[in-house]
Amino acid sequence: MIQNAMFSVQGVQPLQLQEQVKNGATPSESIRNFGSYLNEALNSVAAQEQNAHVMSDKLMIGQVNVDQAMISAQQALLSIQLTTQVRNKVVEAYQEIMRTQI
């Protein structure tokens, strides 16, 4: 089964983040935690894209099979599409907040 490493449970411990908020973490600490989570997620997407390029190069010289190269390319594509959709939702939420009248 193909799993997206961008949102893997291994890299991020959401329960620990919730406990930190409950245990009196300041808003700035929560923002830093969220910022580090986003940074790790973007780095993971970049690593998958780099891996797809490496696999493509290896395919050209005959070191890997076509299926391995295609799987890595599709994983990178799905990660980029997911990142784009998340970005679109964030922009949409920001625009909705800016349209609200106070």
Side-chain angles (χ1 to χ4, degrees):
M1 183 170 106
I2 299 174
Q3 295 180 351
N4 191 342
M6 181 177 167
F7 292 108
S8 68
V9 178
Q10 297 168 350
V12 177
Q13 304 298 332
L15 293 177
Q16 289 178 351
L17 293 177
Q18 291 175 359
E19 289 175 8
Q20 288 175 354
V21 171
K22 289 179 184 176
N23 293 332
T26 64
S28 64
E29 290 172 349
S30 298
I31 290 172
R32 273 189 239 126
N33 289 337
F34 182 69
S36 66
Y37 170 74
L38 286 178
N39 192 19
E40 290 173 12
L42 290 175
N43 287 337
S44 175
V45 171
Q48 284 183 339
E49 186 177 7
Q50 184 63 31
N51 184 35
H53 288 294
V54 168
M55 293 296 276
S56 176
D57 292 342
K58 286 183 179 183
L59 175 67
M60 287 186 219
I61 59 175
Q63 290 182 348
V64 296
N65 295 332
V66 174
D67 57 342
Q68 293 170 329
M70 290 302 298
I71 287 171
S72 66
Q74 286 299 314
Q75 285 177 337
L77 177 65
L78 288 173
S79 293
I80 291 171
Q81 287 175 344
L82 178 63
T83 303
T84 303
Q85 290 300 319
V86 169
R87 179 195 57 106
N88 291 343
K89 289 293 183 181
V90 168
V91 168
E92 187 178 310
Y94 173 77
Q95 289 173 344
E96 184 66 29
I97 289 170
M98 296 308 289
R99 280 193 296 259
T100 58
Q101 295 180 356
I102 298 176

